[in-house]
Amino acid sequence: MLNPINFNFKKDIFAIILNQADITYYNGINNPQNGKYSTLYIVNFKWLGSKQNIILTGEPQSGKTTILAYIFNNAVNLEMKAFFYPVPYLLQHIINPVNRYSKGLTNHLKTVDLLLLDDFCTFRMNAKESDIFLEILKARNGLRPTVLASQHPTEKWKEIIDGRADEITNLLLEDAIKVNLKPFYEIF
């Protein structure tokens, strides 16, 4: 009889992707520190207890959405209330004047245990959208973690967000782990 191999495919692929990434910890927006946290700190979800944000950046097809889905599934298995949505559709849903539940959704986003947002800055964010997004982030700041994925580096967000770009960027990076992913073709 063969001995079973201790291999959790999803977790190990997650670790492989993160091992190839550039990871920076931000303790305040102007205080980036490379190498403070290991890949295991992220893979083993230690950041959840610290209420830290994770910012995933990288080219299309670098695994951002795959990592969001992995984190979401693990959060659900941990019986956390988690919400996973692409930012452009979420903002469209909140701002739609026909949607009478938009205020309820905004309040839900402020209080859900873990908020996972994909496709951040894929499209230009207007001033009204940035005000709403900032309101949600302010309510979560330091209380509940947010995981956000963007194909653009944080330095380019100011070109894409109208209105509150600096405030949004600063709030997200205030106590965050920024993970710049490499494309799959460079990893495998």
Side-chain angles (χ1 to χ4, degrees):
M1 185 166 150
L2 294 173
N3 291 329
I5 298 173
N6 186 10
F7 182 74
N8 179 330
F9 181 76
K10 291 178 183 176
K11 184 175 183 178
D12 290 343
I13 292 298
F14 184 38
I16 289 168
I17 292 169
L18 290 177
N19 272 330
Q20 301 301 314
D22 296 319
I23 301 175
T24 306
Y25 166 68
Y26 284 82
N27 182 7
I29 185 65
N30 296 318
N31 191 17
Q33 302 169 0
N34 291 323
K36 179 168 177 155
Y37 291 106
S38 71
T39 299
L40 288 176
Y41 182 83
I42 300 170
V43 171
N44 291 327
F45 296 91
K46 302 278 187 199
W47 51 274
L48 282 174
S50 302
K51 314 278 191 271
Q52 290 175 286
N53 296 331
I54 293 187
I55 310 301
L56 302 169
T57 60
E59 296 177 16
Q61 305 300 313
S62 59
K64 298 178 299 295
T65 303
T66 302
I67 289 173
L68 285 175
Y70 176 77
I71 292 171
F72 176 80
N73 286 330
N74 278 278
V76 170
N77 288 338
L78 292 169
E79 297 183 6
M80 295 179 71
K81 293 177 184 172
F83 189 85
F84 181 1
Y85 220 82
V87 173
Y89 298 111
L90 180 65
L91 291 172
Q92 181 182 19
H93 186 77
I94 290 172
I95 291 176
N96 184 349
V98 176
N99 183 2
R100 61 185 180 162
Y101 300 107
S102 62
K103 191 64 176 170
L105 177 58
T106 302
N107 289 335
H108 176 70
L109 296 174
K110 292 176 183 178
T111 60
V112 70
D113 295 334
L114 180 61
L115 181 60
L116 300 109
L117 300 171
D118 201 4
D119 298 329
F120 183 67
C121 286
T122 304
F123 301 100
R124 179 163 293 287
M125 186 183 292
N126 66 40
K128 183 175 182 180
E129 292 168 333
S130 69
D131 286 344
I132 292 169
F133 196 73
L134 183 62
E135 176 188 337
I136 293 165
L137 293 177
K138 281 182 176 179
R140 298 184 61 76
N141 190 39
L143 301 173
R144 294 166 199 86
T146 300
V147 183
L148 185 134
S150 176
Q151 65 185 9
H152 299 289
T154 55
E155 300 78 26
K156 290 193 82 171
W157 291 357
K158 293 175 186 177
E159 300 169 18
I160 302 168
I161 302 171
D162 293 335
R164 313 294 280 277
D166 285 334
E167 290 175 83
I168 288 170
T169 303
N170 292 348
L171 203 55
L172 283 168
L173 291 177
E174 190 172 287
D175 185 21
I177 302 167
K178 181 179 162 189
V179 180
N180 185 29
L181 299 167
K182 294 186 177 170
F184 276 155
Y185 61 83
E186 290 184 19
I187 298 173
F188 297 103

